[in-house]
Amino acid sequence: MQPIGRTRWAIAEGYLPGWSNGPEPQLASHETVCLLNAGYRTARVEITVLLSDRDPAGAFRVTVPPRRTLHVRFNELRDPEPIHADTDYASVVESDVPIVVRHSHLDSRQEANARLSTIAFGSDT
Amino acid sequence: MQPIGRTRWAIAEGYLPGWSNGPEPQLASHETVCLLNAGYRTARVEITVLLSDRDPAGAFRVTVPPRRTLHVRFNELRDPEPIHADTDYASVVESDVPIVVRHSHLDSRQEANARLSTIAFGSDT
Amino acid sequence: MQPIGRTRWAIAEGYLPGWSNGPEPQLASHETVCLLNAGYRTARVEITVLLSDRDPAGAFRVTVPPRRTLHVRFNELRDPEPIHADTDYASVVESDVPIVVRHSHLDSRQEANARLSTIAFGSDT
Amino acid sequence: MQPIGRTRWAIAEGYLPGWSNGPEPQLASHETVCLLNAGYRTARVEITVLLSDRDPAGAFRVTVPPRRTLHVRFNELRDPEPIHADTDYASVVESDVPIVVRHSHLDSRQEANARLSTIAFGSDT
């Protein structure tokens, strides 16, 4: 399969709810960046997290093997630092080969969970 | 009507919840790929499902008649193999004529259902 | 303000739930096509509804005055024909000037309402 | 980091629910425009709000510092005028440097909150 996608993506919104209301781990409140690598080369990916009141956090580094998808939970990023709950953020995802990026969110702060998922903004420059 | 769309699309996220909580079939947890073929030629479509820990599944083949829409539930794909619940996946949709692709999801694991729907990433190369 | 947008848009998914559970009219289950006309000329818009098992319905005609937004509920389209509930559909929106199109949905079939909203696929050809 | 994005964005839908059902301020019904400025220059941003029955409101002016994100609640815009609840609107976001724009919504009118988030339509002209 030919690769598909872009090498730079921006996710203009991020927010980790401060609490949850559902069985762990599937229904814990969380945010995920979903990476798709359709080509035959490993994707080396850097995620930079932009904040509202300080310099960016990261870069967080992950790799996506060829012809694989990887779902990364922002909650679980630890190196070089964790992302705080209840804080507005945004992110830029940069890869050395074309990938496709989507951002999704499960919010279980109330009795029923709310989900959202949005394509990121892709660019090659 | 002129055709509209692209010939290659990527859906960077997929996840079939492992259980449901609502009247079948409308409110069973499910994920759907929605295909729109606005032109006057039948679209021959291949869906390849990318996983996190093994080679891709598929290709699953469907056709969309001219000037029709087709909503395909991932849960119901069987040939060449079913997609397991509670597993992260992603997909690439390839067509011989321009189509438009959207991905939607209904999650009824809790008392109230959550829905999301996202435009796929379209490309002609 | 300069116009912004495209002249052809496709919405690859549509589905009118068959029932509601909330105060009318704000929380009745519905689907809306949201049209934004940022320019100084009236937009003459045609909405064609694609179905899975018959020829398209419409075209439904609406106009969006200059520098205005118009939210059209699919439930309320009557001319040339209504759109049936509990039926999969998709739509193509064509305008004589650039506009921006979004599709949103409120599903109140269960105790809590679910909402989704997605940018349509825009094209100039 | 290189800048990423576009200088003009359109959000084709907006609607501020008239009431809420959840702890303030996190779960009050609200709509947010999320701005990401990945570059090294401050972004001067103008938000114009289009309505269905009168001339546009605004422009509302905000700035996004370099390498920062800013989440703006439409509910809190006051200058030159507030946006009324229970009214359809849309918006155009214009910046002097490339940014990325997303629109999100939390609706807590019923027992469980519903969220949606959508990438805006980006353009450079």
Side-chain angles (χ1 to χ4, degrees), chain C residues 45-67:
Chain C
V45 178
E46 289 192 358
I47 303 169
T48 303
V49 175
L50 280 76
L51 301 158
S52 61
D53 55 359
R54 43 157 285 204
D55 279 351
F60 303 93
R61 292 186 172 78
V62 296
T63 58
V64 190
R67 306 168 76 215

Side-chain angles (χ1 to χ4, degrees), chain D residues 19-35:
Chain D
W19 70 93
S20 295
N21 188 338
E24 298 265 357
Q26 292 101 327
L27 292 181
S29 290
H30 63 267
E31 291 208 320
T32 306
V33 56
C34 302
L35 309 169

Side-chain angles (χ1 to χ4, degrees), chain A residues 1-6 9 21-23 26-27 34-38 67-69 71 100-102 104 106 108 110-119, chain B residues 8-15 19 48 50-56 86 88-92 94 103 105 107 109-110 112 114-116 118-119 121 123:
Chain A
M1 193 159 43
Q2 294 293 317
I4 181 169
R6 300 273 184 262
W9 293 85
N21 188 337
Q26 292 100 326
L27 293 181
C34 302
L35 310 169
L36 178 162
N37 178 12
R67 304 168 77 215
R68 293 288 185 280
T69 185
H71 296 200
V100 180
V101 174
R102 208 159 96 168
S104 68
L106 186 147
S108 62
Q110 292 190 325
E111 281 292 321
N113 56 307
R115 289 183 50 139
L116 60 86
S117 181
T118 309
I119 185 86
Chain B
R8 296 189 82 213
W9 293 84
I11 301 170
E13 190 201 15
Y15 176 75
W19 70 91
T48 302
L50 280 76
L51 301 158
S52 62
D53 56 1
R54 45 158 284 203
D55 279 352
D86 227 3
D88 291 336
Y89 67 95
S91 48
V92 175
E94 299 174 290
H103 175 236
H105 180 104
D107 183 339
R109 288 175 292 181
Q110 293 190 326
R115 288 182 51 137
L116 60 87
T118 309
I119 185 84
F121 172 80
S123 171

Side-chain angles (χ1 to χ4, degrees), chain C residues 106-118:
Chain C
L106 186 147
D107 182 340
S108 62
R109 287 175 293 181
Q110 293 190 325
E111 280 294 322
N113 55 307
R115 288 182 52 138
L116 60 88
S117 180
T118 308

Side-chain angles (χ1 to χ4, degrees), chain C residues 1-5 9 21-22 26-27 34 36-37 67-69 71 100 102 104 106 111-113 115 117 119, chain D residues 8 10-13 50-52 54-56 86 88-91 103 105 107 109-110 112 114 116 118 121:
Chain C
M1 193 159 41
Q2 293 294 316
I4 182 170
W9 293 84
N21 188 339
Q26 293 101 325
L27 292 182
C34 301
L36 178 162
N37 178 14
R67 306 168 76 215
R68 294 288 186 278
T69 185
H71 295 202
V100 180
R102 207 159 97 167
S104 67
L106 186 147
E111 280 294 322
N113 55 307
R115 288 182 52 138
S117 180
I119 185 84
Chain D
R8 298 190 79 212
I11 301 170
E13 189 200 16
L50 280 77
L51 301 157
S52 60
R54 43 156 285 204
D55 278 352
D86 227 4
D88 291 335
Y89 67 94
S91 48
H103 175 237
H105 180 105
D107 182 339
R109 287 175 293 182
Q110 292 190 325
L116 60 89
T118 308
F121 173 80

Side-chain angles (χ1 to χ4, degrees), chain D residues 31-71:
Chain D
E31 291 208 320
T32 306
V33 56
C34 302
L35 309 169
L36 177 163
N37 177 13
Y40 284 93
R41 290 179 50 200
T42 294
R44 280 164 229 289
V45 178
E46 290 192 358
I47 303 169
T48 303
V49 175
L50 280 77
L51 301 157
S52 60
D53 54 0
R54 43 156 285 204
D55 278 352
F60 303 92
R61 292 185 172 79
V62 296
T63 58
V64 190
R67 306 168 77 215
R68 293 288 185 280
T69 185
L70 179 68
H71 295 201

